[in-house]
Amino acid sequence: MPPNLGLSDWWGREARKGTPVVVTMENPNYSVVEIEGPEMEEFSSAEKGRGKNAKQFTWVLLLRAHRAANCVAWLANAVWALPRAVSKRLANRSEEKPEKSRLLYKFIRAFVVLSLAVLCLELVAYWKGWHFQRPDLDLHLPEKLEISSWAHGVYISWLGFRAVYIAYAIQILSKFCVVLFVIQSLDRLVLCLGCFWIKFMRIKPTAESDPLKEGSDYKYPMVLVQIPMCNEREVYDQSISAACQLDWPRDRLLIQVLDDSDDESIRTLIRTEVAKWSQQGVNIVYRHRLVRTGYKAGNLKSAMSCDYVKDYEFVAIFDADFQPSPDFLKRTVPHFERNPDLGLVQARWSFVNKDENLLTRLQNINLCFHFEVEQQVNGVFLNFFGFNGTAGVWRIKALETSGGWLERTTVEDMDIAVRAHLNGWKFIYLNDVKVLCEVPESYEAYRKQQHRWHSGPMHLFRVCLPAILTSKISAWKKANLILLFFLLRKLILPFYSFTLFCVILPLTMFVPEAELPIWVICYIPVFMSFLNILPAPGSFPFIVPYLLFENTMSITKFNAMLSGLFKLGSAYEWVVTKKAGRSSEPDFQKSIEGLPQFHKHVSDSALTELSKDVKKNSTPRGKRVNKIYKKELALALLLLTAAVRSLLSAQGIHFYYLLFQGVSFLLVGLDLIGEQM
């Protein structure tokens, strides 16, 4: 706080003779000294009000100057460290594994070569004084007498060719993509309005009975808990311990640890963890398949074939990195009571590492919008949404009548949800029930996850389209499934995002006759990014990185969409998402405080031992080899080339967009996005 010098009364006195104002600054204390002068008389009335706040105003200015200096220092440090980080990436690089289909990369590479050739031609034309034609004016081609050289003739031929043949095709494709863009934006807007209505009306699913209330006569049904995992060395103990501490009668609960690990050391660790909790009275079993067929779907299908499963009414599923709170079952299972048509209760994900680096922050924006808006709106108004594969409770009868777990796609969770919906089952989403988990911290893991999440739905769409058309559900439900659930949100979104912003936009820089309007490039994307960030208000400072990163990820999503739709390349590839094993014991301990009923058989020594194990498993790994992603680097070169071309025609907003988007592709291509910040 600034020192009190007793000068506040001076500002209100009548002016006396003196000299002008003198400001003296001393670090760390700042003081304002005034020597009054005759010219102060005419300003005395105005200064009475302002003088009292002079010191506060000075401190505000100094605080802002300090923040600005810190920001400049941070930017300078980032610019200084970037070349060193790039050289480090190139020295420790590991290129992508060869894919079965490299058609997209070959297309981008050819596009880049052609763009560079055209840019060279445009630069020569600029230096020679062959002025560029404004796209809003009629194209004027010089007569033969006006052509000064053969290069000038080549340039004039290029102008005529692009105006007659290329511009029209680009305009048709761009208009088609813009229409899809507007439709998808309207869909997002309607979802946001539905979310606002839910908040305004305070719509919330309620259970018939609440076992958390004292004196409740709730009859606890038989519940099966399944934890499928595969080589989850970092997080296996977290999920097992959280499941074993679920607040549910011990004789009404069974936990299945479904281990598909092919590493003997990991299997030994998991068996030891299961045995430790079993000795403490928890009803828990360990299962391991010798042949890992069908990935997660095959693992769940094998577990459901056990004879004792017929004694259970509900099954809760948690992936290896998920840590449900002890009251999870008491807040989800009661919704099934007196609701025989209810097949699924889905809870929300909460992330323990959302602030770990820039990549996790950007993922948190997308997933918050998915749960807060998409899942909640679809659950309230349609009683249908895609099962998230974990943190949900299924009625076992709903699984059995819908055909059980099938191994035909890599999105078994969406598959069973669609089939259950076709069989008339309803879903409930609980936005206030949160389960702790992780998001991928490296771009490699996130990229593989997104590939599976976008190729699987398109593969599923091919497989289940006949069943949707021939089902007995109403016509509007069929339209919702086909047009909104699959086509608009799974196919159209990655298609127009990649085609419009990564292909058409840079192409229009070389064909200015087909220039995109500014509202397509700037206004609508920024507005949609604003809507996406609303569920995560703390992420507003990242709105620009989020917009750029979403366009950068469009190439991965577009490639995955094509591979799933046409069964190309890795359409049936399943790669387990790497986990960091972030310890969340403080959050978990906070969640169990104050519960009236808790498993007394879980001793403090066991929790202490568990904490030590978690901390030991969460130690930093060895040096990681960074990958170089050719598609992203090729698109970075293409966008930066288009940015240079936009300078020649003085297209300001286009230049800045292409420049920043090209830099974004460059950083992602060099695997710099996942670094901790």
Side-chain angles (χ1 to χ4, degrees):
M1 294 296 292
N4 185 8
L5 302 179
L7 302 175
S8 58
D9 294 335
W10 291 13
W11 296 92
R13 297 176 183 173
E14 295 183 358
R16 293 192 297 267
K17 294 183 179 181
T19 58
V21 175
V22 177
V23 179
T24 302
M25 296 189 190
E26 299 177 359
N27 196 7
N29 296 323
Y30 301 89
S31 58
V32 181
V33 181
E34 176 195 357
I35 304 176
E36 300 174 357
E39 65 276 7
M40 296 292 292
E41 183 176 357
E42 57 187 72
F43 300 106
S44 60
S45 60
E47 291 296 335
K48 284 183 179 180
R50 288 188 296 175
K52 296 179 181 179
N53 298 324
K55 290 188 292 184
Q56 293 142 344
F57 180 71
T58 303
W59 274 98
V60 169
L61 289 179
L62 291 172
L63 180 60
R64 292 183 178 178
H66 181 263
R67 290 179 178 176
N70 285 340
C71 182
V72 172
W74 183 86
L75 290 175
N77 185 43
V79 173
W80 179 263
L82 183 60
R84 184 174 57 184
V86 172
S87 61
K88 180 182 176 182
R89 289 296 185 275
L90 296 177
N92 300 312
R93 69 182 184 273
S94 174
E95 296 183 354
E96 299 178 77
K97 295 181 180 179
E99 300 178 359
K100 296 181 180 179
S101 174
R102 303 180 62 85
L103 183 61
L104 182 59
Y105 172 67
K106 292 179 179 179
F107 168 76
I108 297 174
R109 187 173 58 182
F111 199 8
V112 171
V113 173
L114 181 61
S115 300
L116 289 174
V118 175
L119 178 62
C120 293
L121 180 61
E122 300 280 14
L123 289 174
V124 171
Y126 184 78
W127 288 330
K128 292 291 185 179
W130 308 329
H131 299 291
F132 293 93
Q133 189 70 29
R134 287 170 53 89
D136 55 343
L137 298 178
D138 295 334
L139 180 64
H140 168 69
L141 297 179
E143 302 293 338
K144 292 183 178 180
L145 296 177
E146 301 178 70
I147 300 177
S148 59
S149 63
W150 67 269
H152 193 186
V154 171
Y155 179 67
I156 296 304
S157 300
W158 157 247
L159 291 181
F161 178 78
R162 83 183 188 191
V164 176
Y165 298 102
I166 301 180
Y168 180 74
I170 295 178
Q171 289 173 351
I172 296 299
L173 181 59
S174 63
K175 289 179 181 179
F176 176 68
C177 290
V178 168
V179 170
L180 297 180
F181 181 33
V182 172
I183 294 175
Q184 199 273 336
S185 300
L186 291 176
D187 174 63
R188 286 293 177 98
L189 181 60
V190 170
L191 287 174
C192 290
L193 292 177
C195 183
F196 290 149
W197 179 256
I198 292 173
K199 298 295 183 182
F200 178 74
M201 299 300 296
R202 298 182 181 180
I203 301 175
K204 180 181 176 181
T206 56
E208 291 291 336
S209 58
D210 187 3
L212 293 176
K213 293 182 179 180
E214 296 184 3
S216 174
D217 57 350
Y218 179 74
K219 296 181 180 179
Y220 293 88
M222 299 287 287
V223 177
L224 178 67
V225 176
Q226 294 180 333
I227 310 176
M229 58 180 65
C230 179
N231 298 326
E232 306 280 5
R233 180 187 297 271
E234 296 79 10
V235 294
Y236 72 92
D237 51 351
Q238 297 181 13
S239 58
I240 293 176
S241 64
C244 291
Q245 297 177 69
L246 288 171
D247 188 13
W248 201 256
R250 196 181 312 175
D251 58 340
R252 314 292 290 178
L253 179 69
L254 173 64
I255 301 173
Q256 286 183 318
V257 179
L258 312 177
D259 182 23
D260 264 2
S261 303
D262 53 11
D263 189 330
E264 180 61 32
S265 62
I266 298 178
R267 294 202 298 266
T268 302
L269 290 173
I270 297 175
R271 283 196 297 265
T272 303
E273 185 73 14
V274 171
K276 181 182 72 175
W277 288 101
S278 179
Q279 292 174 0
Q280 298 185 32
V282 180
N283 194 10
I284 183 173
V285 296
Y286 172 87
R287 284 180 53 86
H288 173 71
R289 295 191 303 163
L290 297 178
V291 181
R292 186 188 172 218
T293 59
Y295 304 112
K296 181 180 177 180
N299 197 1
L300 294 173
K301 181 179 180 180
S302 175
M304 294 298 293
S305 63
C306 297
D307 294 336
Y308 54 77
V309 173
K310 65 179 183 296
D311 298 328
Y312 293 84
E313 188 176 356
F314 305 104
V315 55
I317 302 174
F318 302 103
D319 284 350
D321 60 314
F322 279 70
Q323 305 172 59
S325 59
D327 62 346
F328 175 84
L329 294 179
K330 288 188 174 181
R331 300 178 66 183
T332 54
V333 175
H335 287 272
F336 290 97
E337 188 177 5
R338 301 176 185 176
N339 198 353
D341 295 332
L342 182 60
L344 167 67
V345 174
Q346 173 72 58
R348 179 173 178 168
W349 299 359
S350 180
F351 311 106
V352 297
N353 61 337
K354 62 182 179 181
D355 297 324
E356 192 65 28
N357 54 48
L358 179 59
L359 178 61
T360 59
R361 290 184 175 97
L362 299 179
Q363 292 180 71
N364 181 62
I365 295 174
N366 267 338
L367 291 172
C368 283
F369 182 86
H370 170 70
F371 286 105
E372 184 81 20
V373 180
E374 292 180 340
Q375 296 291 77
Q376 187 170 207
V377 170
N378 290 326
V380 170
F381 295 104
L382 301 177
N383 292 122
F384 167 72
F385 47 81
F387 174 47
N388 293 116
T390 178
V393 181
W394 277 94
R395 188 188 298 270
I396 294 181
K397 183 180 179 181
L399 293 176
E400 294 174 347
T401 58
S402 302
W405 299 104
L406 299 182
E407 308 167 10
R408 56 184 182 177
T409 68
T410 57
V411 284
E412 75 294 328
D413 46 7
M414 185 180 294
D415 188 359
I416 187 62
V418 170
R419 287 184 282 117
H421 180 58
L422 296 179
N423 282 274
W425 293 99
K426 297 180 180 179
F427 303 163
I428 284 181
Y429 171 74
L430 302 178
N431 192 57
D432 58 339
V433 181
K434 300 179 181 181
V435 181
L436 296 175
C437 63
E438 289 187 16
V439 290
E441 296 184 8
S442 68
Y443 178 70
E444 177 189 3
Y446 179 65
R447 189 170 182 263
K448 292 179 179 179
Q449 181 196 69
Q450 292 300 304
H451 186 278
R452 177 168 58 87
W453 285 5
H454 286 81
S455 65
M458 288 296 96
H459 187 197
L460 177 63
F461 179 66
R462 285 173 50 97
V463 172
C464 69
L465 180 59
I468 296 176
L469 295 175
T470 58
S471 64
K472 298 181 180 180
I473 61 176
S474 61
W476 75 269
K477 288 185 177 181
K478 293 180 181 179
N480 173 69
L481 266 178
I482 297 175
L483 299 179
L484 293 181
F485 186 76
F486 279 111
L487 293 183
L488 183 60
R489 297 166 187 166
K490 303 297 188 299
L491 186 147
I492 290 178
L493 177 59
F495 171 77
Y496 85 75
S497 182
F498 172 75
T499 307
L500 187 62
F501 296 106
C502 299
V503 177
I504 294 179
L505 179 58
L507 192 59
T508 56
M509 296 299 99
F510 301 97
V511 187
E513 293 84 0
E515 181 183 357
L516 290 173
I518 295 180
W519 61 269
V520 174
I521 303 172
C522 181
Y523 300 150
I524 292 186
V526 171
F527 178 69
M528 298 313 300
S529 299
F530 175 79
L531 291 181
N532 288 350
I533 292 181
L534 281 179
S539 302
F540 271 103
F542 302 96
I543 184 170
V544 174
Y546 171 74
L547 175 60
L548 297 175
F549 182 69
E550 281 300 290
N551 289 335
T552 304
M553 284 302 300
S554 64
I555 183 174
T556 298
K557 298 176 182 179
F558 179 78
N559 187 35
M561 181 267 294
L562 289 181
S563 65
L565 188 61
F566 300 105
K567 302 182 68 174
L568 303 174
S570 54
Y572 198 68
E573 180 185 19
W574 180 292
V575 179
V576 177
T577 305
K578 294 181 181 179
K579 314 295 193 309
R582 297 292 173 187
S583 177
S584 58
E585 186 189 359
D587 296 330
F588 185 72
Q589 291 285 6
K590 185 185 296 185
S591 67
I592 66 177
E593 290 179 358
L595 286 178
Q597 297 178 357
F598 188 66
H599 291 311
K600 297 180 180 179
H601 59 273
V602 182
S603 61
D604 294 337
S605 60
L607 289 177
T608 303
E609 181 182 355
L610 175 63
S611 175
K612 293 180 180 180
D613 293 341
V614 171
K615 292 179 181 178
K616 180 178 65 176
N617 289 330
S618 62
T619 55
R621 299 183 185 179
K623 186 176 181 180
R624 185 171 66 93
V625 177
N626 301 102
K627 288 193 173 184
I628 300 297
Y629 301 99
K630 293 183 177 180
K631 294 188 185 71
E632 284 79 358
L633 290 179
L635 273 175
L637 182 58
L638 172 63
L639 292 169
L640 294 177
T641 303
V644 175
R645 171 59 181 84
S646 68
L647 280 179
L648 302 180
S649 53
Q651 294 172 310
I653 188 67
H654 298 77
F655 166 74
Y656 290 112
Y657 177 84
L658 291 168
L659 175 63
F660 290 126
Q661 191 64 70
V663 172
S664 176
F665 270 103
L666 180 63
L667 295 177
V668 171
L670 294 175
D671 197 13
L672 290 169
I673 187 65
E675 286 296 299
Q676 293 189 9
M677 299 180 61

